[in-house]
């Protein structure tokens, strides 16, 4: 449910709300790589890529099979 709300916030360009919801997701499920990815996306949307990087790294640590995370981290680091 929170995942969908974060995506809706991002679609509505409401980055602060997306960050707040994504942080709650991560607090409730710290071992969920998907929550970390959502938080990173929200942080990037709120122009805080320096805070998104460690979230993407943690997501990769939690679920290395998610190749898209490696690409997302690479794009972030190229900024």
């Amino acid at each position: 449910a929170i995942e969908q709300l974060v995506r809706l916030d991002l679609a509505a360009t409401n980055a602060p709300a997306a960050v707040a919801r994504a942080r709650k997701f991560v607090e409730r499920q710290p071992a969920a790589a998907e929550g970390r990815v959502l938080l990173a996306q929200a942080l990037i949307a709120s122009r805080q890529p320096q805070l998104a990087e460690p979230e993407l790294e943690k997501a990769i640590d939690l679920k290395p099979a998610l190749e898209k995370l490696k690409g997302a981290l690479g794009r972030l680091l190229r900024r």
Side-chain angles (χ1 to χ4, degrees):
I2 289 180
E3 251 181 287
Q4 293 170 337
L5 292 172
V6 171
R7 292 187 194 287
L8 287 172
D9 288 334
L10 289 172
T13 63
N14 189 352
V19 169
R21 288 184 207 268
R23 284 193 194 283
K24 285 183 186 177
F25 184 115
V26 169
E27 287 173 13
R28 292 180 183 159
Q29 297 181 43
E34 296 79 7
R36 304 262 176 194
V37 172
L38 282 174
L39 178 54
Q41 290 172 335
L43 289 166
I44 291 167
S46 69
R47 298 179 184 183
Q48 300 179 72
Q50 72 283 3
L51 298 178
E53 182 180 348
E55 295 301 333
L56 286 173
E57 289 172 345
K58 180 66 176 175
I60 291 169
D61 288 344
L62 290 168
K63 203 167 188 178
L66 292 177
E67 286 297 316
K68 68 179 182 181
L69 298 179
K70 292 176 184 172
L73 180 57
R75 286 189 298 279
L76 176 65
L77 293 175
R78 281 193 297 267
R79 288 183 172 196

